[in-house]
């Protein structure tokens, strides 16, 4: 079955997306959870250990606190409280830390440091799975055992105000609540006022036991302008005033003889130097934890905060409120809150925590008895029993006190060891789903590789032996084997498996497809072997009708692509992947410069006639001074690679990315500072003007006007949100969300896209017009550029300018003049796209995703547009270069239509190889130390990039179909026209036509069939032959015409 290269590559990518989705479902494990479906109950708590014959007591200590207020400030970094700026940012809080009755800690949050997983960690005590990053957009109800459920079951009255993620996680758990949208990051004022407005009335009431406040304003400021913004200090002072108000109200409400209150100030995660979060850097994982209560001793000075795990707060609050600890809790109680309790109560609290951890350890670790923490807990429990026996006998000697302190120390060591062991067991991989997805994508990649000679041939079509595979005996045997394996695995699996939970119909389809794919792969492989080629009657080396040869540039592109794929096996190379692409791009520029020098100097000196090699492109208009134009084109081509190197070097300094040097100030930080707002304004205005000049040259007049107004709207939007200034504005003016200005730009984006789509459809359906199609494609590209310029931050606009400028120079002076084929051009586009992905400031860390762009022009959070805008902004570099590749290959008149198919195939191969290789790597490295902090985020990036590439390849199919139609019509004219002209010319000879008439028809023939002549130099498959001089075939034409005329007229005109 013959399939076009673009269609074949696109479907391979779509099926790879399905296979990777199955792999992701198995790779991101379900966190460690107890196998018991029921939740912890007070009746299930163990008895107090007593050795000997003394009866065991089931006594449970009294709660430590009557009321608990949890004030959670989203993205609160520990240095905002404990750092040098703490006294300036939060003076009252800092006073309580230094002189008040409080305990201060640095609570470490585990990655991923995004809100929903952190809330789950704070309430369940477990470490959420990494896939919760995706679930963060739409949080389902939390069903596992958690602190909120335990409090509600115990009759505690809970009031909540703040992030509506809590409301979605705990529906029907709160006595009173008011949720605010957490994803509309442009709002950092009302989102906090909606919480504070309830505070005065709530603090005066006595009908609640737990009050939870989740403030989002600081997090939104970080996303908008970073941790060093001028907005940070006023927001932190606001939070400090709120804490003071709560603390003062709790002091007034405290009654004699009643249990004390507990005020908790904490953050769910920190904030990176760019203002985002999600990664594992120190500013993102280190959060402050301040516990304030009259039950604690008053401090006498600033002490260095101890480091605890964020999940330790769960067990601490549970014991403090007299609640059972959640079954899946992996944290241990913070000893500081127990300091005023009796020694017996302290030992009892630690025993309850140890019992819960030991039960979870038994349930999740096979050889739990060999764990150091479990053995220590058993030893401490026995010593506790001995101490209890002496205590119940009335022994009050100092020996008993020393013995109790020793047991206390043993408990703490055992709890720390068990907590550490459980934290290492982040989850149980679904290996069956992982292996199934990995084998599936490996098969697809092998089929893609085996089809390379046919896919890159002059026909650009792949012959897939589908029917022979479906009718072969191995296909049916393989179906039976895979079905048997599936049944065997699913019936014997001890843990749940996602692939086993699928319906039998889907599994049956997957088995058939995988078996057919394997048979197709074997059949294609045998055709490539010498024996298989002889059986099929083809030469294995010349199966496509041409020889394969690799130039120096081909070797560089191949070695660079393979080298980058191999580098993904090292965590350091994944963290600093941008350095790999910067190096490859610089090397590519040098290789291109070598090719340019070879063309314009070595070939010129070797031929002795430079004019033949310096002919301008067809698209250039005739010049009155051809020598001057050729000379200028030569020097512009020579200057292009060094200019690109200079641009790339400047762009590298614009945004520091990666991990090792991300904290170093860059040009972007300098431009975004308030002192340099004028410089940023001038730079943004210049970039927008340059963008217009580079884009408008191929647009229609309507699109040119829309583009100009749209770019003016972009500057107005940036001025409205306070990034840049108009000449008549002052820097101290009030800022807005820029909603009106952004929507103004959206109108022109949609207008340009509509105009381009209309022209494109007209060129395909109504009339075959290459010029109209080229203009339609470019207008669609222009609309995309306008949208990206709106989403890019002001300091990133030079990246867009350089992108457009490099594309113009490469297209005009390099790709066409040096006759690079579609494969080479595609690889160059891909490399440039990857480099510009990192020029934007992106990395393989989730923290670099700028989610604020998802709300440009929106009044409220709407999920679909927010996801689309965020993805477009993040992958703007690769998408712009892929779109330019479509425009270039489809609009280049010097290329045949197979160039689009070749480009689509190469793009699919370039994306498939690293994605599939990375899946194999993370499977083998799934127990690596950095699997969650380094390799897992990269896996999500690779998956998303593959999905976007699949969408781009579908666009390639449309363009190839359009080109095929236009070429069939054009080739029909080229073939029919010479014969019509020949017949007409022969008829003219019978009428004794003059020489001028014959010469005019010879010229017509010359212009009609020059593309049918073979080119004398070696051509790539996707290049159309260049026209030869008339002297190459003019005598042959005259001779043939004379013979034809003589044959037709016979003896009537012997002289002719």
């Amino acid at each position: 079955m013959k399939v076009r290269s673009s269609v074949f590559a696109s479907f391979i990518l779509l099926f790879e997306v399905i296979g990777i989705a199955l792999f992701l479902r198995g790779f991101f494990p379900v966190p460690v959870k107890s196998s018991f479906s029921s939740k912890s109950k007070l009746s299930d708590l163990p008895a107090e250990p007593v050795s000997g014959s003394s009866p065991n007591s089931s006594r449970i200590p009294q709660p430590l606190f009557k009321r608990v207020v949890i004030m959670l400030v989203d993205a609160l970094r520990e240095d905002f409280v404990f750092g040098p700026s703490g006294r300036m940012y939060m003076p009252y809080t800092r006073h309580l830390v230094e002189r008040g009755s409080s305990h201060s800690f640095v609570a470490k949050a585990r990655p991923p440091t995004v809100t929903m997983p952190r809330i789950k960690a704070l309430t369940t005590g477990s470490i959420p799975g990494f896939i919760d990053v995706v679930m963060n957009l739409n949080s389902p109800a939390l069903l596992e055992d958690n602190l909120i459920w335990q409090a509600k079951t115990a009759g505690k009255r809970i009031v909540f105000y703040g992030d509506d993620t809590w409301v979605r996680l705990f529906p029907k758990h709160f006595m009173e609540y008011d949720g605010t949208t957490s994803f509309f990051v442009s709002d950092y004022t009302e989102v906090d006022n909606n919480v504070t407005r309830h505070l005065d009335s709530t603090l005066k009431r006595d009908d609640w036991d737990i009050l939870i406040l989740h403030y989002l304003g600081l997090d939104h400021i970080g996303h908008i302008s970073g941790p060093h913004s001028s907005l940070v200090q006023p927001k932190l002072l606001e939070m400090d005033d709120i804490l003071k108000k709560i603390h003062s109200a709790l002091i007034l409400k405290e009654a004699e003889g009643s249990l004390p209150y507990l005020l908790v100030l904490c953050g769910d995660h920190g904030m990176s130097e760019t203002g985002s979060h999600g990664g594992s850097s120190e500013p993102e994982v280190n959060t402050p934890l301040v516990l304030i209560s009259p039950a604690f001793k008053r401090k006498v000075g600033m002490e260095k905060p101890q480091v605890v795990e964020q999940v330790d707060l769960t067990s601490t609050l549970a014991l403090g409120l007299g609640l059972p600890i959640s079954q899946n809790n992996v944290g241990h109680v913070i000893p500081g809150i127990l300091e005023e309790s009796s020694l017996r109560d302290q030992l009892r609290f630690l025993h309850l925590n140890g019992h819960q951890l030991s039960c979870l350890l038994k349930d999740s670790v096979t050889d739990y008895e060999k764990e150091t923490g479990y053995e220590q807990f058993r030893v401490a429990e026995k010593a506790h029993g001995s101490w209890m026996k002496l205590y119940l006998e009335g022994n009050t000697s100092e020996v008993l006190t020393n013995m109790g302190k020793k047991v206390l120390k043993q408990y703490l060591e055992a709890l720390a060891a068990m907590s550490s062991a459980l934290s290492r067991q982040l989850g149980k991989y679904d290996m069956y789903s992982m292996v199934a997805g990995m084998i599936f994508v490996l098969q697809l990649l092998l089929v893609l590789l085996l089809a390379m000679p046919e896919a890159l041939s002059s026909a650009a079509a792949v012959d897939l032996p589908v029917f022979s595979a479906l009718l072969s005996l191995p296909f049916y045997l393989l179906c039976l084997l895979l079905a048997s394996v599936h049944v065997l695995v699913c019936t014997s699996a001890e843990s749940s498996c996602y692939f086993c939970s699928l319906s039998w119909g889907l599994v049956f389809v997957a088995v058939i497809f995988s078996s057919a794919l394997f048979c197709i792969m074997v059949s294609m492989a045998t055709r490539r072997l010498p024996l298989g080629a002889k059986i099929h009657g083809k030469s294995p080396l010349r199966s496509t009708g041409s020889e394969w040869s690799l130039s120096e540039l081909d070797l560089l592109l191949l070695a660079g692509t393979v080298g980058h794929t191999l580098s993904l096996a090292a965590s350091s190379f994944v963290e600093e992947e941008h350095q790999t692409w910067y190096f490859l791009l610089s090397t590519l520029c040098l290789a291109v410069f070598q090719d340019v020098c070879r063309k314009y100097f070595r070939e010129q000196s070797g031929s002795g006639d430079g004019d033949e090699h310096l002919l301008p492109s067809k698209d250039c208009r005739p010049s009155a001074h051809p020598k001057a134009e050729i000379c200028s084109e030569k020097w512009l081509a020579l200057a292009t690679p060094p200019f690109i190197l200079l641009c790339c070097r400047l762009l590298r300094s614009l945004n520091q990315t990666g991990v090792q040097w991300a904290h170093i100030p860059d040009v972007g930080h300098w431009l975004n500072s308030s002192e340099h707002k004028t410089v940023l304004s001038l730079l943004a205005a210049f970039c927008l003007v340059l963008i217009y000049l580079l884009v408008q040259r191929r647009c229609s007049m309507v699109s040119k006007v829309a583009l100009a107004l749209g770019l003016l709207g972009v500057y107005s939007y940036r001025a409205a949100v306070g990034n840049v200034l108009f000449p008549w504005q002052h820097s101290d003016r009030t800022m807005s969300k820029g909603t009106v200005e952004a929507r103004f730009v959206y109108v022109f984006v949609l207008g340009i896209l509509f105009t381009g789509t209309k022209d494109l459809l007209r060129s395909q359906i109504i009339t075959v017009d290459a010029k109209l199609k080229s203009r339609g494609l470019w207008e669609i590209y222009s609309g995309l550029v306008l949208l990206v310029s709106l989403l890019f931050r002001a300091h990133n606009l030079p990246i867009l300018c350089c992108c457009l400028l490099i594309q113009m120079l490469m297209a005009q002076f390099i790709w066409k003049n040096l006759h690079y084929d579609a494969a080479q051009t595609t690889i160059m586009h891909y490399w440039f796209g990857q480099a510009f992905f990192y020029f934007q400031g992106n990395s393989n860390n989730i923290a670099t995703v700028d989610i604020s762009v998802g709300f440009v022009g929106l009044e409220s959070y709407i999920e679909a547009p927010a996801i689309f805008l965020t993805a477009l902004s993040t992958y703007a570099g690769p998408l712009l270069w892929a779109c330019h590749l479509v425009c270039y290959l489809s609009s280049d008149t010097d290329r045949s239509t197979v160039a689009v198919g070749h480009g689509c195939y190469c793009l699919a191969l370039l994306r498939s190889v690293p994605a599939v290789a990375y899946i194999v790597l993370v499977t083998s490295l799934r127990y690596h130390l950095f699997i969650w902090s380094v390799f897992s985020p990269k896996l999500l990036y690779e998956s998303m990039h593959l999905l976007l590439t699949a969408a781009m390849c579908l666009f390639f199919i449309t363009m190839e179909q359009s080109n095929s139609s236009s070429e069939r019509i054009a080739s029909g004219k080229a073939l029919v026209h010479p014969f019509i002209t020949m017949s007409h010319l022969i008829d003219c000879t019978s009428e004794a036509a003059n020489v001028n008439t014959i010469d005019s028809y010879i010229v017509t023939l010359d212009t009609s069939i020059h593309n049918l002549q073979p080119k004398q130099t070696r051509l790539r498959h996707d290049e159309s032959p260049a026209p030869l001089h008339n002297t190459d075939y003019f005598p042959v034409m005259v001779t043939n015409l004379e013979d034809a005329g003589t044959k037709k007229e016979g003896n009537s005109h012997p002289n002719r």
Side-chain angles (χ1 to χ4, degrees):
M1 183 174 68
K2 285 278 187 179
V3 182
R4 298 204 317 271
S5 296
S6 59
V7 177
F8 168 73
S10 299
F11 276 95
I12 288 290
L13 281 181
L14 291 176
F15 285 121
E16 282 183 356
V17 169
I18 296 174
I20 289 181
L22 178 62
F23 178 85
L24 291 177
R25 184 59 180 81
F27 177 77
F28 290 111
V30 178
V32 170
K33 292 182 175 63
S34 174
S35 60
F36 301 105
S37 58
S38 61
K39 298 179 174 66
S40 298
K41 300 177 182 178
L42 288 173
S43 58
D44 298 332
L45 297 180
E48 209 169 5
V50 178
S51 61
S53 58
S54 302
N56 287 9
S57 170
S58 58
R59 173 182 174 274
I60 300 175
Q62 291 294 318
L64 300 177
F65 311 106
K66 179 183 180 181
R67 280 186 169 187
V68 173
V69 178
I70 301 174
M71 181 178 173
L72 193 154
V73 181
D74 210 295
L76 184 64
R77 289 179 14 168
E78 58 93 10
D79 58 330
F80 288 165
V81 178
F82 304 137
S85 302
R87 290 188 179 90
M88 179 176 61
Y89 286 161
M90 305 186 75
Y92 185 77
T93 305
R94 187 61 177 263
H95 170 73
L96 291 177
V97 168
E98 295 179 357
R99 302 288 178 181
S101 302
S102 64
H103 287 294
S104 304
F105 307 94
V106 174
K108 283 192 170 291
R110 294 293 186 97
T113 49
V114 291
T115 298
M116 194 271 281
R118 294 299 93 221
I119 294 176
K120 289 177 68 175
L122 287 169
T123 55
T124 64
S126 61
I127 299 176
F130 209 92
I131 199 63
D132 282 321
V133 174
V134 180
M135 302 300 294
N136 188 53
L137 296 173
N138 187 18
S139 310
L142 185 61
L143 300 179
E144 65 179 285
D145 196 0
N146 60 83
L147 180 67
I148 305 298
W149 184 89
Q150 291 289 351
K152 183 177 181 295
T153 304
K156 303 289 184 183
R157 296 160 296 179
I158 312 172
V159 177
F160 170 77
Y161 305 116
D163 186 354
D164 60 358
T165 304
W166 289 79
V167 181
R168 295 196 299 269
L169 285 173
F170 309 106
K172 302 179 181 179
H173 284 65
F174 303 119
M175 179 188 75
E176 181 181 324
Y177 66 88
D178 184 13
T180 57
T181 301
S182 58
F183 292 104
F184 190 57
V185 297
S186 299
D187 175 24
Y188 51 85
T189 304
E190 292 298 325
V191 72
D192 286 345
N193 292 340
N194 289 336
V195 178
T196 309
R197 64 180 179 175
H198 302 283
L199 206 53
D200 290 334
S201 59
T202 304
L203 291 174
K204 294 175 182 178
R205 291 157 34 193
D206 295 323
D207 60 347
W208 55 269
D209 301 303
I210 301 174
L211 174 62
I212 303 174
L213 308 170
H214 190 150
Y215 285 93
L216 291 163
L218 181 64
D219 177 69
H220 291 184
I221 289 174
H223 285 298
I224 294 172
S225 53
H228 306 293
S229 168
S230 58
L231 301 172
V232 169
Q233 183 177 357
K235 177 56 67 175
L236 289 174
L237 288 173
E238 177 189 343
M239 295 296 102
D240 191 62
D241 290 339
I242 292 171
L243 181 79
K244 182 178 181 180
K245 178 188 291 187
I246 297 172
H247 189 216
S248 302
L250 290 175
I251 292 175
L252 293 175
K253 283 283 185 180
E254 188 177 7
E256 285 290 334
S258 63
L259 291 174
Y261 61 84
L262 174 65
L263 174 57
V264 180
L265 173 66
C266 63
D268 56 344
H269 52 74
M271 184 189 302
S272 68
E273 288 300 313
T274 60
S276 190
H277 54 88
S280 56
S281 64
E282 290 295 315
E284 293 171 82
V285 300
N286 289 344
T287 64
L289 176 60
V290 182
L291 306 178
I292 305 167
S293 175
F296 305 147
K297 295 178 180 178
R298 185 174 292 273
K299 297 289 181 63
V300 294
M302 182 63 185
E303 300 175 1
K304 184 178 180 180
Q306 299 179 13
V307 178
V308 298
E309 290 289 335
Q310 193 180 58
V311 291
D312 293 342
L313 182 61
T314 308
S315 53
T316 302
L317 291 177
L319 295 176
L321 290 168
L323 304 174
I325 302 175
S326 304
Q327 286 183 346
N328 303 317
N329 168 72
V330 298
H332 58 86
V333 64
I334 299 174
I337 71 159
L338 308 176
E339 60 186 8
E340 295 300 313
S341 302
S342 65
L343 186 56
R344 180 183 181 183
D345 285 347
Q346 291 185 47
L347 292 175
R348 178 60 170 155
F349 281 131
L350 296 179
H351 175 250
L352 292 174
N353 194 185
H355 175 77
Q356 177 267 320
L357 290 175
S358 64
C359 290
L360 184 60
L361 195 66
K362 288 180 184 178
D363 202 35
S364 58
V365 180
T366 305
D367 300 328
Y368 65 92
E369 294 179 348
K370 297 180 181 179
E371 290 288 341
T372 304
Y374 185 82
E375 295 177 358
Q376 290 176 334
F377 174 69
R378 287 301 174 206
V379 171
E381 193 175 34
K382 290 181 180 178
H384 185 191
S386 301
W387 184 89
M388 277 297 301
K389 180 181 180 182
L390 295 175
Y391 178 82
L392 294 175
E393 290 175 353
N395 192 329
T396 58
S397 63
E398 186 178 352
V399 176
L400 184 66
T401 303
N402 294 334
M403 182 181 177
K405 291 181 180 179
K406 182 180 179 181
V407 175
L408 194 70
K409 183 179 179 181
Q410 289 177 331
Y411 265 136
L412 291 174
E413 292 175 353
L415 292 179
M418 286 192 292
S419 178
S420 177
L422 287 168
S423 298
R424 290 194 300 268
Q425 299 287 327
L426 287 181
K428 301 176 182 178
Y429 292 104
D430 182 359
M431 286 303 300
Y432 183 44
S433 299
M434 288 174 59
V435 171
M438 182 174 62
I439 292 176
F440 188 59
V441 295
L442 275 174
Q443 286 179 316
L444 291 167
L445 177 61
L446 290 175
V447 171
L448 192 66
L449 289 171
L450 289 171
M452 183 186 295
E454 297 178 34
L456 296 180
S457 66
S458 57
V462 179
D463 186 11
L464 294 175
V466 176
F467 298 108
S468 60
L470 294 177
L471 297 176
S472 63
L473 179 62
F475 167 71
Y476 297 101
L477 294 177
L478 197 58
C479 286
L480 291 175
L481 177 62
L482 293 179
S484 303
V485 170
H486 180 75
V487 172
L488 180 64
V489 171
C490 293
T491 54
S492 61
E494 297 179 358
S495 58
S496 60
C497 172
Y498 174 75
F499 199 44
C500 294
S501 65
L502 296 177
S503 65
W504 279 102
L506 289 176
V507 172
F508 187 65
V509 170
V511 167
I512 292 177
F513 188 83
S514 182
S515 303
L517 199 62
F518 182 80
C519 293
I520 292 172
M521 180 181 65
V522 173
S523 179
M524 294 178 69
T526 54
R527 285 194 316 200
R528 300 286 173 262
L529 297 175
L531 180 60
K534 291 179 181 179
I535 294 174
H536 290 84
K538 299 179 181 179
S539 170
L541 297 177
R542 295 176 178 262
S543 60
T544 61
S546 64
E547 291 189 16
W548 286 71
S549 61
L550 295 177
S551 64
E552 296 175 359
L553 183 65
D554 293 328
L555 292 174
L556 170 65
L557 296 175
L558 180 62
T561 303
V562 174
H564 162 257
T565 302
L566 295 177
S567 71
L568 298 178
S571 60
S572 298
F573 278 92
V574 174
E575 290 178 337
E576 308 296 327
E577 187 182 356
H578 60 285
Q579 302 287 3
T580 302
W581 287 113
Y582 296 165
F583 170 77
L584 290 177
L585 194 61
S586 301
T587 309
L588 175 63
C589 290
L590 294 177
V592 170
F593 185 69
Q594 180 187 10
D595 281 356
V596 174
C597 292
R598 182 184 292 123
K599 174 180 175 61
Y600 287 106
F601 290 113
R602 196 175 73 179
E603 291 185 1
Q604 179 178 351
S605 60
S607 63
D609 184 10
D611 296 344
E612 183 179 352
H613 298 279
L614 298 178
L615 288 173
S617 60
K618 291 182 180 181
D619 298 334
C620 297
R621 295 181 178 179
S623 174
H625 305 282
K627 291 285 186 180
E629 181 177 335
I630 291 170
C631 186
S632 63
E633 183 175 333
K634 164 187 172 181
W635 290 111
L636 285 173
L638 287 169
T640 295
F643 177 77
I644 294 175
L645 279 174
L646 177 63
C647 288
C648 293
R649 186 62 192 89
L650 293 175
L651 293 180
R652 287 180 61 176
S653 61
L654 192 61
N655 293 300
Q656 287 287 353
T657 184
V659 175
Q660 299 296 330
W661 297 279
H663 63 282
I664 299 177
D666 48 37
V667 177
H669 284 91
W670 185 84
L671 289 172
N672 284 314
S673 63
S674 57
E675 298 84 4
H676 307 112
K677 185 170 288 188
T678 303
V679 178
L680 181 60
S681 302
L682 293 174
L683 179 63
F686 172 77
C687 289
L688 292 174
V689 171
L690 185 58
I691 290 171
Y692 175 77
L693 295 176
L694 292 171
V695 174
Q696 58 84 30
R697 54 197 171 93
R698 294 170 61 182
C699 295
S700 63
M701 183 56 63
V702 175
S703 296
K704 288 181 180 180
V705 174
L707 181 64
L709 293 175
L711 291 173
L712 181 61
V714 170
Y715 191 89
S716 301
Y717 168 76
R718 286 297 162 192
V721 298
N723 299 137
V724 298
L725 295 171
F726 280 112
W728 57 84
Q729 286 180 327
H730 300 285
S731 58
D732 57 348
R733 61 183 176 78
T734 58
M735 295 182 296
S736 69
K737 299 176 184 178
T739 305
V740 176
E741 291 83 356
R743 291 179 178 178
F744 177 80
V745 179
Y746 285 146
V747 170
F748 293 108
V749 170
L750 294 176
I752 296 174
L753 292 177
F754 174 78
T755 304
T757 305
K758 180 192 67 175
D759 291 343
L760 198 59
L761 292 177
R762 284 180 57 196
S763 68
Q764 296 185 27
I765 300 174
I766 301 176
T767 177
V768 179
D769 189 346
K771 185 177 181 181
L772 186 63
K773 178 177 72 85
S774 175
R775 190 179 71 185
L777 271 175
W778 188 259
E779 286 178 340
I780 292 176
Y781 179 68
S782 303
L784 183 63
V785 169
L786 178 58
L787 181 57
V788 170
S789 64
L790 174 66
L791 300 180
F792 269 17
R793 294 183 182 244
H795 75 277
N796 272 343
L797 287 175
I799 297 174
L800 186 56
C801 284
C802 289
C803 176
L804 297 173
L805 190 58
I806 292 172
Q807 288 173 355
M808 184 197 70
L809 294 174
M810 292 292 288
Q812 190 165 348
F813 302 112
I814 302 297
W815 292 321
K816 185 179 294 186
N817 290 358
L818 297 184
H819 302 292
Y820 287 138
D821 61 15
Q824 293 171 328
T825 307
T826 302
I827 297 175
M828 291 185 195
H829 274 82
Y830 178 77
W831 282 22
F832 273 107
Q834 290 297 102
F836 272 83
F837 174 81
Y838 293 103
F839 286 149
Q840 294 174 228
N842 293 319
S843 70
N844 292 322
N845 192 335
I846 296 177
T848 55
V849 177
D850 184 8
I851 66 171
S852 63
V853 300
F855 310 95
V856 174
L858 301 180
E859 287 286 359
S860 60
Y861 172 66
I862 306 174
E863 186 170 332
I867 294 175
F868 170 76
L869 294 175
T870 304
L872 177 61
S873 174
T874 304
Y875 290 93
L879 285 176
L880 285 175
W881 280 93
C883 290
H884 184 270
L885 177 64
V886 178
C887 295
Y888 176 74
L889 294 181
S890 301
S891 306
D892 190 358
T893 57
D894 289 343
R895 295 182 183 274
S896 61
T897 57
V898 297
V900 180
H902 290 174
C904 181
Y905 174 82
C906 292
L907 189 63
L909 189 62
L910 287 169
R911 263 292 72 228
S912 298
V913 170
V916 175
Y918 196 72
I919 282 179
V920 178
L921 287 172
V922 295
T923 303
S924 59
L925 299 173
R926 62 188 181 277
Y927 296 115
H928 194 279
L929 179 63
F930 302 128
I931 187 63
W932 301 116
S933 58
V934 177
F935 293 105
S936 294
K938 172 64 175 173
L939 182 59
L940 293 178
Y941 275 106
E942 287 289 327
S943 305
M944 188 63 186
H945 199 174
L946 186 72
L947 179 62
L948 294 175
T949 306
M952 283 302 306
C953 285
L954 293 177
F955 189 54
F956 269 88
I957 295 177
T958 307
M959 292 303 101
E960 187 187 27
Q961 182 65 37
S962 172
N963 279 355
S964 300
S965 302
S966 60
E967 183 174 278
R968 281 196 297 270
I969 295 176
S971 61
K973 291 179 180 179
L975 291 175
V976 173
H977 187 69
F979 291 103
I980 295 175
T981 307
M982 180 75 71
S983 176
H984 194 181
L985 182 59
I986 293 172
D987 291 339
C988 288
T989 59
S990 62
E991 301 297 331
N994 57 27
V995 176
N996 292 333
T997 305
I998 295 176
D999 287 343
S1000 65
Y1001 279 97
I1002 289 173
V1003 172
T1004 306
L1005 281 171
D1006 180 22
T1007 58
S1008 300
I1009 67 173
H1010 64 70
N1011 282 328
L1012 302 178
Q1013 300 298 322
K1015 193 171 181 180
Q1016 292 178 347
T1017 57
R1018 184 178 68 88
L1019 287 175
R1020 302 282 179 177
H1021 290 311
D1022 61 319
E1023 283 188 310
S1024 297
L1028 302 177
H1029 297 290
N1030 292 341
T1031 56
D1032 294 333
Y1033 54 86
F1034 180 78
V1036 178
M1037 289 178 56
V1038 174
T1039 302
N1040 292 339
L1041 287 172
E1042 290 176 349
D1043 294 342
T1046 302
K1047 184 176 180 179
K1048 180 176 181 180
E1049 299 296 336
N1051 298 327
S1052 301
H1053 305 280
N1055 294 332
R1056 295 184 184 182

